[in-house]
Amino acid sequence: MAYEITEEKMASYRQYMVREEFAPDTIKKYLRDIRAFAAWLEGRVDESPEDGSAVPVDREAAAGWKTYLTKAGYAPVTINAMLSSLNGFFEFMGWEECKVKFLKIQRRTFREQEKELSRAEYERLLTAAKAAGNSRLALLLETICATGIRVSEVRYITVEAFRRKRADISLKGKIRTILLPGKLCKKLREYARRQNIAEGEVFISPSGKSMSRCQIWREMKKLCERADVNPSKVFPHNLRHLFARTFYKVSRDIVKLADVLGHSSIETTRIYLMSTGETHARQMERLGLVS
C-alpha cells in the first residue's frame, strides 16, 4: 500500500495534538518538520512514478531524508528532533513500517562554553533591560530564571498565582506546582499594580494578548549588544538551564530538580547540569596524570 502525506492528514494530526494538549509551539515545530520532509520528497523528481503521482512515503524515503539532512550539515541533535516529528506522524497514521531509526549520538560529558549563559551575563542582561526602560522584560527574565519555567509556561504566571505564591502548570495532561519566591511575588505585585492588571496573566502586550515565544526571543536578542553578551547565549531556555545549575548547586538533589523542571526522566535533567568544556578541562588537569 502506497502512503502519501496530504494537508487533510496533516490537519487530522494537528487536531490530535491539540486534543492531547501538546504545547502550541511544539505543534508548529512538528508540522514544520513534516512539511519539510514532504517538500524534500516532492523534489525527488527523478524518482517520481511514471504516472505522475507523488513519490510514496516509506522507510526508504524517510532514511533518504535522514541521509540528506546529515550531508546538508544539520547537527545530529537537530536531525533526531526532526526524525522524531516524522516518526510521531507515522505512528499517528499507523504507518509503523515507515519509522526510521535515530542517529546514534555518544553522550557528551560537557557543554560548549560559547552556549552557556553565566550568572554574570544574566545580571548584565537584567541591567540592560532596565536601562532600556523595558521593565516588563527585566521582570520576565527574573521570573523565568527564578522558577525554571519554560517560555511556553509564562502564561501561568498570573495575578492569582503570585497571590497564592505558587503557579499550577498544566502540560500534556500533567499538572505540576511551581513555588514562587517571596521577593518575586512582591515584584510581580508591584508591576501588576503599575500596569493596572487586576487578574489573569501578568506578562501581556498593551492589547492584552499573551507574549509569544517569538516576541520574548526578539526582545531578549535586542539586549545582547548593550549587555555585551554573545547572542548565541541569549534565548529563554538558557535561563531555565541557569536556574537548574543554580538549584542543584544549592540542593544537590537531582530528583527534586527533575520534579521542579517537569522532567519525566532524570537523564534529561542531567543534560542541564553538564559543566562547560572549560570546566571539564580544568578537572582533567587536576588529575595530575601527566608528569
Side-chain angles (χ1 to χ4, degrees):
M1 181 178 179
Y3 299 132
E4 184 180 352
I5 297 177
T6 66
E7 281 301 320
E8 289 76 18
K9 291 170 183 174
M10 295 274 285
S12 295
Y13 186 47
R14 182 185 184 283
Q15 291 171 2
Y16 161 76
M17 290 190 286
V18 170
R19 289 197 304 272
E20 292 297 310
E21 299 183 0
F22 282 56
D25 289 314
T26 298
I27 294 175
K28 290 179 183 177
K29 188 236 183 294
Y30 286 0
L31 295 179
R32 183 171 64 248
D33 290 343
I34 297 165
R35 286 196 172 92
F37 168 70
W40 172 81
L41 206 56
E42 289 178 8
R44 297 166 64 186
V45 180
D46 57 325
E47 299 180 30
S48 299
E50 293 182 1
D51 61 4
S53 60
V55 177
V57 176
D58 53 25
R59 179 176 291 175
E60 183 180 355
W65 190 50
K66 179 170 72 171
T67 299
Y68 160 74
L69 294 174
T70 303
K71 290 182 177 179
Y74 284 77
V77 173
T78 301
I79 294 174
N80 282 347
M82 296 174 80
L83 294 178
S84 179
S85 302
L86 194 60
N87 283 344
F89 175 69
F90 289 162
E91 185 172 341
F92 168 75
M93 294 301 302
W95 303 348
E96 295 287 341
E97 66 272 26
C98 296
K99 293 170 70 173
V100 65
K101 293 182 179 179
F102 298 122
L103 294 174
K104 291 183 179 180
I105 306 173
Q106 181 176 344
R107 188 164 63 192
R108 299 184 64 175
T109 58
F110 57 87
R111 297 186 67 199
E112 295 177 18
Q113 178 75 27
E114 61 270 19
K115 290 188 177 180
E116 181 173 295
L117 183 71
S118 69
R119 182 160 190 158
E121 290 168 329
Y122 158 67
E123 291 173 352
R124 293 208 299 272
L125 288 171
L126 286 179
T127 300
K130 293 172 184 176
N134 196 337
S135 59
R136 180 184 65 180
L137 180 58
L139 183 56
L140 177 58
L141 297 181
E142 286 189 297
T143 300
I144 295 176
C145 203
T147 60
I149 60 174
R150 300 176 177 89
V151 67
S152 60
E153 297 169 341
V154 168
R155 67 182 187 276
Y156 291 102
I157 303 301
T158 63
V159 171
E160 295 75 19
F162 71 63
R163 285 175 179 167
R164 297 194 308 268
K165 296 187 177 181
R166 71 179 201 182
D168 296 321
I169 295 174
S170 176
L171 185 65
K172 295 184 180 181
K174 296 185 294 184
I175 297 178
R176 80 180 194 279
T177 299
I178 295 296
L179 299 181
L180 304 179
K183 288 179 66 176
L184 177 63
C185 289
K186 182 179 179 181
K187 286 191 171 187
L188 289 168
R189 186 180 299 109
E190 292 174 351
Y191 174 80
R193 179 181 54 78
R194 291 196 305 270
Q195 300 299 319
N196 295 316
I197 301 173
E199 60 181 7
E201 295 179 45
V202 173
F203 297 105
I204 55 177
S205 66
S207 63
K209 294 183 179 180
S210 302
M211 292 183 70
S212 69
R213 178 194 296 264
C214 291
Q215 182 181 1
I216 295 172
W217 185 295
R218 192 165 51 245
E219 289 192 16
M220 286 183 67
K221 291 294 184 183
K222 288 181 180 179
L223 299 176
C224 296
E225 185 174 352
R226 182 191 288 262
D228 190 26
V229 178
N230 191 322
S232 67
K233 299 182 178 186
V234 182
F235 51 92
H237 205 69
N238 243 5
L239 296 173
R240 183 167 153 88
H241 276 268
L242 178 55
F243 165 84
R245 296 196 308 274
T246 307
F247 183 99
Y248 184 73
K249 186 176 182 180
V250 172
S251 71
R252 294 295 173 180
D253 189 338
I254 193 171
V255 175
K256 179 66 174 179
L257 176 58
D259 288 340
V260 172
L261 293 175
H263 290 160
S264 56
S265 169
I266 288 180
E267 288 305 305
T268 303
T269 311
R270 285 186 72 258
I271 296 173
Y272 282 60
L273 301 179
M274 284 183 183
S275 60
T276 64
E278 185 176 292
T279 302
H280 183 73
R282 286 201 300 269
Q283 292 169 340
M284 297 295 287
E285 291 290 345
R286 286 200 295 269
L287 294 179
L289 296 177
V290 179
S291 60

